[in-house]
Amino acid sequence: MKAHMISLGAGLLVGVIYSLINVRSPAPPVVALVGLLGILVGEQLPPLVRSLWQKEPVIHSWIDQVKPHMFGHLPKGQRSDARIAADKTPQPPAGG
């Protein structure tokens, strides 16, 4: 997730600079990005159809092929040591 945020921040910074110097972005139009999404999804159809044809549960194709390729390695959301220690510390009763 950190890499995604850094990438987004860098893109925003470049976009602001382009706007300030009146330069058009070389980024592809939205229709091209939709086409790329179609390619990514289309790559996953043959393994899905193959698993259906072989009468395997679709979940196997999803877990082994589609999910890792479409979404990559998503962050696990592990907590820091300080947060774990704070959670183990007894809290005073509410009220007063």
Side-chain angles (χ1 to χ4, degrees):
M1 186 65 143
K2 185 178 179 181
H4 292 85
M5 297 308 292
I6 291 171
S7 178
L8 177 63
L12 287 172
L13 178 64
V14 169
V16 168
I17 293 169
Y18 278 6
S19 176
L20 292 174
I21 61 175
N22 293 323
V23 173
R24 291 249 330 149
S25 169
V30 173
V31 69
L33 297 176
V34 171
L36 288 173
L37 177 63
I39 291 170
L40 185 63
V41 171
E43 285 179 326
Q44 306 315 309
L45 289 178
L48 184 64
V49 170
R50 191 177 310 121
S51 70
L52 289 171
W53 187 263
Q54 295 174 352
K55 301 194 191 289
E56 295 176 351
V58 175
I59 193 72
H60 290 303
S61 176
W62 173 261
I63 291 173
D64 296 335
Q65 171 71 25
V66 177
K67 184 180 173 192
H69 187 73
M70 293 278 293
F71 301 106
H73 298 289
L74 296 177
K76 300 289 184 194
Q78 296 174 347
R79 298 187 306 181
S80 68
D81 293 337
R83 175 72 185 190
I84 293 170
D87 286 348
K88 291 182 180 179
T89 305
Q91 300 294 321

